[in-house]
Amino acid sequence: MSSNVVVVADWDIDGVVSAAQIVYSQEVVGKYPLDGKRRVFLIPSTSKTLPFIFNEVSSLNVSHLVLLDIAYSRDVMFFLKKIKSLNIYSIYIDHHISSFIYSKTIESLVDEFIVGKIPTAYLVYQLMNSLKISLTSRLKAFIEAANTIEGGKQKALNRKFIQLVIAVSKTLAHSRNREQWEKLIRWLSSPLPQTSMPFNINIDKFIEPQKNSEDLNLFANELALRAEKIFNVRFIDARKTRPRYRPSAIASALYRIFKNPVILLLNNKEDKSYIVVKSKDSTAYIIALELYRKGIAIDIMGHQTLSYTLLRDDVDINQVKNFIRNIILKKM
């Protein structure tokens, strides 16, 4: 087994910036996770695609694996068990709610585990700071951008720069172009003062306003009329509607209207009820976690500013509202 590292990270900007920091630390500084400069292999993945990359990981014959920004799931569990059987030293850093809930299980499967309510890129940044690793100004700018996008933290960053980073993130998520994904990580982790980004694919369509944005806003305004106020939170029962837009897009549009946390109640294709919570702070995270702990939710996903909670079939919606009211009271 060679003393090299493989980084498996999500496609989005949080995963990319997290991976770039590990590459910089290992290949440029030679400090983490191994002492001395070693090669870092890069593999993009999601929770669902982890089973399909195991053979590639095992064929690399590495000594260390770093898993970044991938929400814990059954597929992740089986993947980590296989990694453990190969005696590969494993590091798992993530910020998703499921990783927080199953932290004890994860700790039994990996050698190092870091979980928090802030974006993964910022968790890695804190790790770099603790190791006294000084990052480049370019990498720091993208860390702050990822933190703003994923965590809702408003920093004094150029608005056009934020729009560009969002566009890059969406481009990678839609195209799933592995070559471009790795090129961006290599560019971010480079200590050389390069100016142009390594992109030759069109990201303009993600910067320009979407054609259906006006329709989405109209739809959100119609839903807003149904909003029920629970302290500073707006609760909207939209189970009888069949929206043409992604639930996260609807919740975000509603958040822009109210400028306060939004809870959207919907039914999925199997006619199961679930709620989407959008907030600027960790309210979405807290509500999902508490509903799960109370046994009202049977599954949750998402992160601190956007969460999805699948409700029990027999749950009463008024009971859900009362629990949410108590959660908000406790938070206040």
Side-chain angles (χ1 to χ4, degrees), residues 156-178:
L157 295 173
N158 183 283
R159 185 178 177 182
K160 287 187 177 180
F161 174 63
I162 293 294
Q163 288 179 327
L164 176 65
V165 175
I166 291 172
V168 169
S169 186
K170 288 182 177 180
T171 299
L172 292 172
H174 282 75
S175 69
R176 296 293 171 96
N177 186 318
R178 180 170 175 174

mmCIF file with all atom_site columns, all heavy atoms in Angstrom, residues 156-178:
data_model
loop_
_atom_site.group_PDB
_atom_site.id
_atom_site.type_symbol
_atom_site.label_atom_id
_atom_site.label_alt_id
_atom_site.label_comp_id
_atom_site.label_asym_id
_atom_site.label_entity_id
_atom_site.label_seq_id
_atom_site.pdbx_PDB_ins_code
_atom_site.Cartn_x
_atom_site.Cartn_y
_atom_site.Cartn_z
_atom_site.occupancy
_atom_site.B_iso_or_equiv
_atom_site.pdbx_formal_charge
_atom_site.auth_seq_id
_atom_site.auth_comp_id
_atom_site.auth_asym_id
_atom_site.auth_atom_id
_atom_site.pdbx_PDB_model_num
ATOM 1   N N   . ALA A 1 156 ? -18.461 40.583 3.527   1.00 0.00 ? 156 ALA A N   1
ATOM 2   C CA  . ALA A 1 156 ? -18.253 41.713 2.614   1.00 0.00 ? 156 ALA A CA  1
ATOM 3   C C   . ALA A 1 156 ? -17.560 41.229 1.344   1.00 0.00 ? 156 ALA A C   1
ATOM 4   O O   . ALA A 1 156 ? -16.409 41.544 1.079   1.00 0.00 ? 156 ALA A O   1
ATOM 5   C CB  . ALA A 1 156 ? -17.419 42.788 3.304   1.00 0.00 ? 156 ALA A CB  1
ATOM 6   N N   . LEU A 1 157 ? -18.286 40.420 0.568   1.00 0.00 ? 157 LEU A N   1
ATOM 7   C CA  . LEU A 1 157 ? -17.747 39.884 -0.674  1.00 0.00 ? 157 LEU A CA  1
ATOM 8   C C   . LEU A 1 157 ? -18.453 40.526 -1.859  1.00 0.00 ? 157 LEU A C   1
ATOM 9   O O   . LEU A 1 157 ? -19.624 40.893 -1.776  1.00 0.00 ? 157 LEU A O   1
ATOM 10  C CB  . LEU A 1 157 ? -17.933 38.362 -0.723  1.00 0.00 ? 157 LEU A CB  1
ATOM 11  C CG  . LEU A 1 157 ? -17.160 37.540 0.316   1.00 0.00 ? 157 LEU A CG  1
ATOM 12  C CD1 . LEU A 1 157 ? -17.581 36.081 0.235   1.00 0.00 ? 157 LEU A CD1 1
ATOM 13  C CD2 . LEU A 1 157 ? -15.660 37.657 0.111   1.00 0.00 ? 157 LEU A CD2 1
ATOM 14  N N   . ASN A 1 158 ? -17.731 40.635 -2.954  1.00 0.00 ? 158 ASN A N   1
ATOM 15  C CA  . ASN A 1 158 ? -18.293 41.196 -4.168  1.00 0.00 ? 158 ASN A CA  1
ATOM 16  C C   . ASN A 1 158 ? -19.484 40.356 -4.632  1.00 0.00 ? 158 ASN A C   1
ATOM 17  O O   . ASN A 1 158 ? -19.389 39.137 -4.743  1.00 0.00 ? 158 ASN A O   1
ATOM 18  C CB  . ASN A 1 158 ? -17.207 41.234 -5.247  1.00 0.00 ? 158 ASN A CB  1
ATOM 19  C CG  . ASN A 1 158 ? -17.694 41.884 -6.519  1.00 0.00 ? 158 ASN A CG  1
ATOM 20  O OD1 . ASN A 1 158 ? -18.414 41.276 -7.293  1.00 0.00 ? 158 ASN A OD1 1
ATOM 21  N ND2 . ASN A 1 158 ? -17.281 43.127 -6.728  1.00 0.00 ? 158 ASN A ND2 1
ATOM 22  N N   . ARG A 1 159 ? -20.601 41.030 -4.916  1.00 0.00 ? 159 ARG A N   1
ATOM 23  C CA  . ARG A 1 159 ? -21.821 40.315 -5.292  1.00 0.00 ? 159 ARG A CA  1
ATOM 24  C C   . ARG A 1 159 ? -21.638 39.516 -6.580  1.00 0.00 ? 159 ARG A C   1
ATOM 25  O O   . ARG A 1 159 ? -22.125 38.392 -6.706  1.00 0.00 ? 159 ARG A O   1
ATOM 26  C CB  . ARG A 1 159 ? -22.970 41.315 -5.448  1.00 0.00 ? 159 ARG A CB  1
ATOM 27  C CG  . ARG A 1 159 ? -24.310 40.653 -5.714  1.00 0.00 ? 159 ARG A CG  1
ATOM 28  C CD  . ARG A 1 159 ? -25.418 41.681 -5.803  1.00 0.00 ? 159 ARG A CD  1
ATOM 29  N NE  . ARG A 1 159 ? -26.682 41.047 -6.122  1.00 0.00 ? 159 ARG A NE  1
ATOM 30  C CZ  . ARG A 1 159 ? -27.818 41.714 -6.308  1.00 0.00 ? 159 ARG A CZ  1
ATOM 31  N NH1 . ARG A 1 159 ? -27.831 43.031 -6.177  1.00 0.00 ? 159 ARG A NH1 1
ATOM 32  N NH2 . ARG A 1 159 ? -28.930 41.074 -6.609  1.00 0.00 ? 159 ARG A NH2 1
ATOM 33  N N   . LYS A 1 160 ? -20.916 40.103 -7.535  1.00 0.00 ? 160 LYS A N   1
ATOM 34  C CA  . LYS A 1 160 ? -20.686 39.409 -8.801  1.00 0.00 ? 160 LYS A CA  1
ATOM 35  C C   . LYS A 1 160 ? -19.823 38.168 -8.591  1.00 0.00 ? 160 LYS A C   1
ATOM 36  O O   . LYS A 1 160 ? -19.989 37.159 -9.276  1.00 0.00 ? 160 LYS A O   1
ATOM 37  C CB  . LYS A 1 160 ? -20.034 40.354 -9.812  1.00 0.00 ? 160 LYS A CB  1
ATOM 38  C CG  . LYS A 1 160 ? -20.982 41.410 -10.360 1.00 0.00 ? 160 LYS A CG  1
ATOM 39  C CD  . LYS A 1 160 ? -20.335 42.215 -11.478 1.00 0.00 ? 160 LYS A CD  1
ATOM 40  C CE  . LYS A 1 160 ? -21.327 43.212 -12.069 1.00 0.00 ? 160 LYS A CE  1
ATOM 41  N NZ  . LYS A 1 160 ? -20.710 44.016 -13.158 1.00 0.00 ? 160 LYS A NZ  1
ATOM 42  N N   . PHE A 1 161 ? -18.893 38.265 -7.643  1.00 0.00 ? 161 PHE A N   1
ATOM 43  C CA  . PHE A 1 161 ? -18.054 37.106 -7.328  1.00 0.00 ? 161 PHE A CA  1
ATOM 44  C C   . PHE A 1 161 ? -18.910 35.976 -6.755  1.00 0.00 ? 161 PHE A C   1
ATOM 45  O O   . PHE A 1 161 ? -18.758 34.814 -7.135  1.00 0.00 ? 161 PHE A O   1
ATOM 46  C CB  . PHE A 1 161 ? -16.958 37.503 -6.338  1.00 0.00 ? 161 PHE A CB  1
ATOM 47  C CG  . PHE A 1 161 ? -16.125 36.345 -5.845  1.00 0.00 ? 161 PHE A CG  1
ATOM 48  C CD1 . PHE A 1 161 ? -15.346 35.608 -6.728  1.00 0.00 ? 161 PHE A CD1 1
ATOM 49  C CD2 . PHE A 1 161 ? -16.128 35.987 -4.503  1.00 0.00 ? 161 PHE A CD2 1
ATOM 50  C CE1 . PHE A 1 161 ? -14.579 34.538 -6.286  1.00 0.00 ? 161 PHE A CE1 1
ATOM 51  C CE2 . PHE A 1 161 ? -15.373 34.921 -4.049  1.00 0.00 ? 161 PHE A CE2 1
ATOM 52  C CZ  . PHE A 1 161 ? -14.595 34.194 -4.943  1.00 0.00 ? 161 PHE A CZ  1
ATOM 53  N N   . ILE A 1 162 ? -19.826 36.316 -5.852  1.00 0.00 ? 162 ILE A N   1
ATOM 54  C CA  . ILE A 1 162 ? -20.729 35.317 -5.276  1.00 0.00 ? 162 ILE A CA  1
ATOM 55  C C   . ILE A 1 162 ? -21.582 34.683 -6.373  1.00 0.00 ? 162 ILE A C   1
ATOM 56  O O   . ILE A 1 162 ? -21.766 33.455 -6.418  1.00 0.00 ? 162 ILE A O   1
ATOM 57  C CB  . ILE A 1 162 ? -21.637 35.941 -4.196  1.00 0.00 ? 162 ILE A CB  1
ATOM 58  C CG1 . ILE A 1 162 ? -20.806 36.368 -2.978  1.00 0.00 ? 162 ILE A CG1 1
ATOM 59  C CG2 . ILE A 1 162 ? -22.730 34.958 -3.766  1.00 0.00 ? 162 ILE A CG2 1
ATOM 60  C CD1 . ILE A 1 162 ? -20.176 35.223 -2.227  1.00 0.00 ? 162 ILE A CD1 1
ATOM 61  N N   . GLN A 1 163 ? -22.097 35.514 -7.286  1.00 0.00 ? 163 GLN A N   1
ATOM 62  C CA  . GLN A 1 163 ? -22.905 34.999 -8.399  1.00 0.00 ? 163 GLN A CA  1
ATOM 63  C C   . GLN A 1 163 ? -22.091 34.051 -9.272  1.00 0.00 ? 163 GLN A C   1
ATOM 64  O O   . GLN A 1 163 ? -22.597 33.028 -9.741  1.00 0.00 ? 163 GLN A O   1
ATOM 65  C CB  . GLN A 1 163 ? -23.440 36.160 -9.239  1.00 0.00 ? 163 GLN A CB  1
ATOM 66  C CG  . GLN A 1 163 ? -24.539 36.965 -8.565  1.00 0.00 ? 163 GLN A CG  1
ATOM 67  C CD  . GLN A 1 163 ? -25.014 38.123 -9.426  1.00 0.00 ? 163 GLN A CD  1
ATOM 68  O OE1 . GLN A 1 163 ? -24.234 38.714 -10.182 1.00 0.00 ? 163 GLN A OE1 1
ATOM 69  N NE2 . GLN A 1 163 ? -26.288 38.456 -9.326  1.00 0.00 ? 163 GLN A NE2 1
ATOM 70  N N   . LEU A 1 164 ? -20.826 34.394 -9.473  1.00 0.00 ? 164 LEU A N   1
ATOM 71  C CA  . LEU A 1 164 ? -19.943 33.547 -10.273 1.00 0.00 ? 164 LEU A CA  1
ATOM 72  C C   . LEU A 1 164 ? -19.731 32.197 -9.594  1.00 0.00 ? 164 LEU A C   1
ATOM 73  O O   . LEU A 1 164 ? -19.814 31.141 -10.239 1.00 0.00 ? 164 LEU A O   1
ATOM 74  C CB  . LEU A 1 164 ? -18.598 34.240 -10.483 1.00 0.00 ? 164 LEU A CB  1
ATOM 75  C CG  . LEU A 1 164 ? -17.528 33.424 -11.226 1.00 0.00 ? 164 LEU A CG  1
ATOM 76  C CD1 . LEU A 1 164 ? -17.963 33.152 -12.656 1.00 0.00 ? 164 LEU A CD1 1
ATOM 77  C CD2 . LEU A 1 164 ? -16.186 34.135 -11.196 1.00 0.00 ? 164 LEU A CD2 1
ATOM 78  N N   . VAL A 1 165 ? -19.481 32.224 -8.288  1.00 0.00 ? 165 VAL A N   1
ATOM 79  C CA  . VAL A 1 165 ? -19.252 30.977 -7.548  1.00 0.00 ? 165 VAL A CA  1
ATOM 80  C C   . VAL A 1 165 ? -20.512 30.115 -7.552  1.00 0.00 ? 165 VAL A C   1
ATOM 81  O O   . VAL A 1 165 ? -20.442 28.894 -7.716  1.00 0.00 ? 165 VAL A O   1
ATOM 82  C CB  . VAL A 1 165 ? -18.793 31.280 -6.103  1.00 0.00 ? 165 VAL A CB  1
ATOM 83  C CG1 . VAL A 1 165 ? -18.666 29.984 -5.301  1.00 0.00 ? 165 VAL A CG1 1
ATOM 84  C CG2 . VAL A 1 165 ? -17.461 32.014 -6.112  1.00 0.00 ? 165 VAL A CG2 1
ATOM 85  N N   . ILE A 1 166 ? -21.676 30.744 -7.393  1.00 0.00 ? 166 ILE A N   1
ATOM 86  C CA  . ILE A 1 166 ? -22.945 30.009 -7.463  1.00 0.00 ? 166 ILE A CA  1
ATOM 87  C C   . ILE A 1 166 ? -23.101 29.372 -8.845  1.00 0.00 ? 166 ILE A C   1
ATOM 88  O O   . ILE A 1 166 ? -23.505 28.211 -8.970  1.00 0.00 ? 166 ILE A O   1
ATOM 89  C CB  . ILE A 1 166 ? -24.139 30.942 -7.164  1.00 0.00 ? 166 ILE A CB  1
ATOM 90  C CG1 . ILE A 1 166 ? -24.121 31.368 -5.693  1.00 0.00 ? 166 ILE A CG1 1
ATOM 91  C CG2 . ILE A 1 166 ? -25.463 30.251 -7.495  1.00 0.00 ? 166 ILE A CG2 1
ATOM 92  C CD1 . ILE A 1 166 ? -25.147 32.436 -5.354  1.00 0.00 ? 166 ILE A CD1 1
ATOM 93  N N   . ALA A 1 167 ? -22.767 30.137 -9.880  1.00 0.00 ? 167 ALA A N   1
ATOM 94  C CA  . ALA A 1 167 ? -22.876 29.631 -11.250 1.00 0.00 ? 167 ALA A CA  1
ATOM 95  C C   . ALA A 1 167 ? -21.948 28.445 -11.480 1.00 0.00 ? 167 ALA A C   1
ATOM 96  O O   . ALA A 1 167 ? -22.329 27.452 -12.111 1.00 0.00 ? 167 ALA A O   1
ATOM 97  C CB  . ALA A 1 167 ? -22.560 30.746 -12.240 1.00 0.00 ? 167 ALA A CB  1
ATOM 98  N N   . VAL A 1 168 ? -20.736 28.541 -10.960 1.00 0.00 ? 168 VAL A N   1
ATOM 99  C CA  . VAL A 1 168 ? -19.772 27.439 -11.091 1.00 0.00 ? 168 VAL A CA  1
ATOM 100 C C   . VAL A 1 168 ? -20.304 26.198 -10.383 1.00 0.00 ? 168 VAL A C   1
ATOM 101 O O   . VAL A 1 168 ? -20.243 25.079 -10.914 1.00 0.00 ? 168 VAL A O   1
ATOM 102 C CB  . VAL A 1 168 ? -18.403 27.845 -10.506 1.00 0.00 ? 168 VAL A CB  1
ATOM 103 C CG1 . VAL A 1 168 ? -17.488 26.633 -10.382 1.00 0.00 ? 168 VAL A CG1 1
ATOM 104 C CG2 . VAL A 1 168 ? -17.743 28.904 -11.381 1.00 0.00 ? 168 VAL A CG2 1
ATOM 105 N N   . SER A 1 169 ? -20.843 26.394 -9.180  1.00 0.00 ? 169 SER A N   1
ATOM 106 C CA  . SER A 1 169 ? -21.386 25.279 -8.408  1.00 0.00 ? 169 SER A CA  1
ATOM 107 C C   . SER A 1 169 ? -22.521 24.591 -9.162  1.00 0.00 ? 169 SER A C   1
ATOM 108 O O   . SER A 1 169 ? -22.584 23.363 -9.257  1.00 0.00 ? 169 SER A O   1
ATOM 109 C CB  . SER A 1 169 ? -21.882 25.783 -7.050  1.00 0.00 ? 169 SER A CB  1
ATOM 110 O OG  . SER A 1 169 ? -22.292 24.713 -6.234  1.00 0.00 ? 169 SER A OG  1
ATOM 111 N N   . LYS A 1 170 ? -23.426 25.394 -9.728  1.00 0.00 ? 170 LYS A N   1
ATOM 112 C CA  . LYS A 1 170 ? -24.556 24.834 -10.477 1.00 0.00 ? 170 LYS A CA  1
ATOM 113 C C   . LYS A 1 170 ? -24.093 24.146 -11.753 1.00 0.00 ? 170 LYS A C   1
ATOM 114 O O   . LYS A 1 170 ? -24.637 23.114 -12.154 1.00 0.00 ? 170 LYS A O   1
ATOM 115 C CB  . LYS A 1 170 ? -25.563 25.940 -10.808 1.00 0.00 ? 170 LYS A CB  1
ATOM 116 C CG  . LYS A 1 170 ? -26.349 26.437 -9.604  1.00 0.00 ? 170 LYS A CG  1
ATOM 117 C CD  . LYS A 1 170 ? -27.360 27.497 -10.010 1.00 0.00 ? 170 LYS A CD  1
ATOM 118 C CE  . LYS A 1 170 ? -28.196 27.948 -8.828  1.00 0.00 ? 170 LYS A CE  1
ATOM 119 N NZ  . LYS A 1 170 ? -29.181 28.992 -9.215  1.00 0.00 ? 170 LYS A NZ  1
ATOM 120 N N   . THR A 1 171 ? -23.081 24.727 -12.388 1.00 0.00 ? 171 THR A N   1
ATOM 121 C CA  . THR A 1 171 ? -22.547 24.135 -13.611 1.00 0.00 ? 171 THR A CA  1
ATOM 122 C C   . THR A 1 171 ? -22.003 22.739 -13.346 1.00 0.00 ? 171 THR A C   1
ATOM 123 O O   . THR A 1 171 ? -22.291 21.786 -14.076 1.00 0.00 ? 171 THR A O   1
ATOM 124 C CB  . THR A 1 171 ? -21.424 25.020 -14.197 1.00 0.00 ? 171 THR A CB  1
ATOM 125 O OG1 . THR A 1 171 ? -21.958 26.304 -14.511 1.00 0.00 ? 171 THR A OG1 1
ATOM 126 C CG2 . THR A 1 171 ? -20.843 24.407 -15.459 1.00 0.00 ? 171 THR A CG2 1
ATOM 127 N N   . LEU A 1 172 ? -21.219 22.614 -12.288 1.00 0.00 ? 172 LEU A N   1
ATOM 128 C CA  . LEU A 1 172 ? -20.640 21.315 -11.941 1.00 0.00 ? 172 LEU A CA  1
ATOM 129 C C   . LEU A 1 172 ? -21.724 20.315 -11.547 1.00 0.00 ? 172 LEU A C   1
ATOM 130 O O   . LEU A 1 172 ? -21.673 19.145 -11.930 1.00 0.00 ? 172 LEU A O   1
ATOM 131 C CB  . LEU A 1 172 ? -19.638 21.480 -10.798 1.00 0.00 ? 172 LEU A CB  1
ATOM 132 C CG  . LEU A 1 172 ? -18.355 22.244 -11.130 1.00 0.00 ? 172 LEU A CG  1
ATOM 133 C CD1 . LEU A 1 172 ? -17.543 22.499 -9.873  1.00 0.00 ? 172 LEU A CD1 1
ATOM 134 C CD2 . LEU A 1 172 ? -17.515 21.481 -12.148 1.00 0.00 ? 172 LEU A CD2 1
ATOM 135 N N   . ALA A 1 173 ? -22.709 20.789 -10.777 1.00 0.00 ? 173 ALA A N   1
ATOM 136 C CA  . ALA A 1 173 ? -23.784 19.909 -10.322 1.00 0.00 ? 173 ALA A CA  1
ATOM 137 C C   . ALA A 1 173 ? -24.621 19.397 -11.488 1.00 0.00 ? 173 ALA A C   1
ATOM 138 O O   . ALA A 1 173 ? -25.068 18.244 -11.487 1.00 0.00 ? 173 ALA A O   1
ATOM 139 C CB  . ALA A 1 173 ? -24.665 20.647 -9.317  1.00 0.00 ? 173 ALA A CB  1
ATOM 140 N N   . HIS A 1 174 ? -24.826 20.254 -12.506 1.00 0.00 ? 174 HIS A N   1
ATOM 141 C CA  . HIS A 1 174 ? -25.644 19.858 -13.655 1.00 0.00 ? 174 HIS A CA  1
ATOM 142 C C   . HIS A 1 174 ? -24.855 19.038 -14.678 1.00 0.00 ? 174 HIS A C   1
ATOM 143 O O   . HIS A 1 174 ? -25.357 18.061 -15.221 1.00 0.00 ? 174 HIS A O   1
ATOM 144 C CB  . HIS A 1 174 ? -26.234 21.098 -14.339 1.00 0.00 ? 174 HIS A CB  1
ATOM 145 C CG  . HIS A 1 174 ? -27.409 21.675 -13.624 1.00 0.00 ? 174 HIS A CG  1
ATOM 146 N ND1 . HIS A 1 174 ? -27.283 22.406 -12.462 1.00 0.00 ? 174 HIS A ND1 1
ATOM 147 C CD2 . HIS A 1 174 ? -28.740 21.619 -13.891 1.00 0.00 ? 174 HIS A CD2 1
ATOM 148 C CE1 . HIS A 1 174 ? -28.485 22.780 -12.047 1.00 0.00 ? 174 HIS A CE1 1
ATOM 149 N NE2 . HIS A 1 174 ? -29.385 22.321 -12.895 1.00 0.00 ? 174 HIS A NE2 1
ATOM 150 N N   . SER A 1 175 ? -23.626 19.440 -14.933 1.00 0.00 ? 175 SER A N   1
ATOM 151 C CA  . SER A 1 175 ? -22.845 18.778 -15.987 1.00 0.00 ? 175 SER A CA  1
ATOM 152 C C   . SER A 1 175 ? -22.213 17.473 -15.515 1.00 0.00 ? 175 SER A C   1
ATOM 153 O O   . SER A 1 175 ? -22.000 16.560 -16.312 1.00 0.00 ? 175 SER A O   1
ATOM 154 C CB  . SER A 1 175 ? -21.747 19.712 -16.487 1.00 0.00 ? 175 SER A CB  1
ATOM 155 O OG  . SER A 1 175 ? -20.754 19.912 -15.487 1.00 0.00 ? 175 SER A OG  1
ATOM 156 N N   . ARG A 1 176 ? -21.895 17.401 -14.204 1.00 0.00 ? 176 ARG A N   1
ATOM 157 C CA  . ARG A 1 176 ? -21.176 16.244 -13.653 1.00 0.00 ? 176 ARG A CA  1
ATOM 158 C C   . ARG A 1 176 ? -19.939 15.935 -14.505 1.00 0.00 ? 176 ARG A C   1
ATOM 159 O O   . ARG A 1 176 ? -19.647 14.777 -14.811 1.00 0.00 ? 176 ARG A O   1
ATOM 160 C CB  . ARG A 1 176 ? -22.089 15.018 -13.563 1.00 0.00 ? 176 ARG A CB  1
ATOM 161 C CG  . ARG A 1 176 ? -23.271 15.178 -12.604 1.00 0.00 ? 176 ARG A CG  1
ATOM 162 C CD  . ARG A 1 176 ? -22.799 15.269 -11.172 1.00 0.00 ? 176 ARG A CD  1
ATOM 163 N NE  . ARG A 1 176 ? -23.846 15.616 -10.241 1.00 0.00 ? 176 ARG A NE  1
ATOM 164 C CZ  . ARG A 1 176 ? -24.544 14.731 -9.523  1.00 0.00 ? 176 ARG A CZ  1
ATOM 165 N NH1 . ARG A 1 176 ? -24.301 13.446 -9.655  1.00 0.00 ? 176 ARG A NH1 1
ATOM 166 N NH2 . ARG A 1 176 ? -25.451 15.142 -8.663  1.00 0.00 ? 176 ARG A NH2 1
ATOM 167 N N   . ASN A 1 177 ? -19.250 17.008 -14.881 1.00 0.00 ? 177 ASN A N   1
ATOM 168 C CA  . ASN A 1 177 ? -18.045 16.885 -15.694 1.00 0.00 ? 177 ASN A CA  1
ATOM 169 C C   . ASN A 1 177 ? -16.850 16.709 -14.756 1.00 0.00 ? 177 ASN A C   1
ATOM 170 O O   . ASN A 1 177 ? -16.376 17.658 -14.140 1.00 0.00 ? 177 ASN A O   1
ATOM 171 C CB  . ASN A 1 177 ? -17.876 18.142 -16.558 1.00 0.00 ? 177 ASN A CB  1
ATOM 172 C CG  . ASN A 1 177 ? -16.730 18.028 -17.543 1.00 0.00 ? 177 ASN A CG  1
ATOM 173 O OD1 . ASN A 1 177 ? -15.653 17.536 -17.212 1.00 0.00 ? 177 ASN A OD1 1
ATOM 174 N ND2 . ASN A 1 177 ? -16.954 18.495 -18.758 1.00 0.00 ? 177 ASN A ND2 1
ATOM 175 N N   . ARG A 1 178 ? -16.378 15.477 -14.665 1.00 0.00 ? 178 ARG A N   1
ATOM 176 C CA  . ARG A 1 178 ? -15.316 15.166 -13.707 1.00 0.00 ? 178 ARG A CA  1
ATOM 177 C C   . ARG A 1 178 ? -14.021 15.906 -14.023 1.00 0.00 ? 178 ARG A C   1
ATOM 178 O O   . ARG A 1 178 ? -13.322 16.354 -13.110 1.00 0.00 ? 178 ARG A O   1
ATOM 179 C CB  . ARG A 1 178 ? -15.065 13.661 -13.674 1.00 0.00 ? 178 ARG A CB  1
ATOM 180 C CG  . ARG A 1 178 ? -13.966 13.257 -12.702 1.00 0.00 ? 178 ARG A CG  1
ATOM 181 C CD  . ARG A 1 178 ? -13.908 11.767 -12.500 1.00 0.00 ? 178 ARG A CD  1
ATOM 182 N NE  . ARG A 1 178 ? -12.791 11.383 -11.664 1.00 0.00 ? 178 ARG A NE  1
ATOM 183 C CZ  . ARG A 1 178 ? -12.565 10.149 -11.230 1.00 0.00 ? 178 ARG A CZ  1
ATOM 184 N NH1 . ARG A 1 178 ? -13.410 9.175  -11.561 1.00 0.00 ? 178 ARG A NH1 1
ATOM 185 N NH2 . ARG A 1 178 ? -11.520 9.874  -10.474 1.00 0.00 ? 178 ARG A NH2 1
#
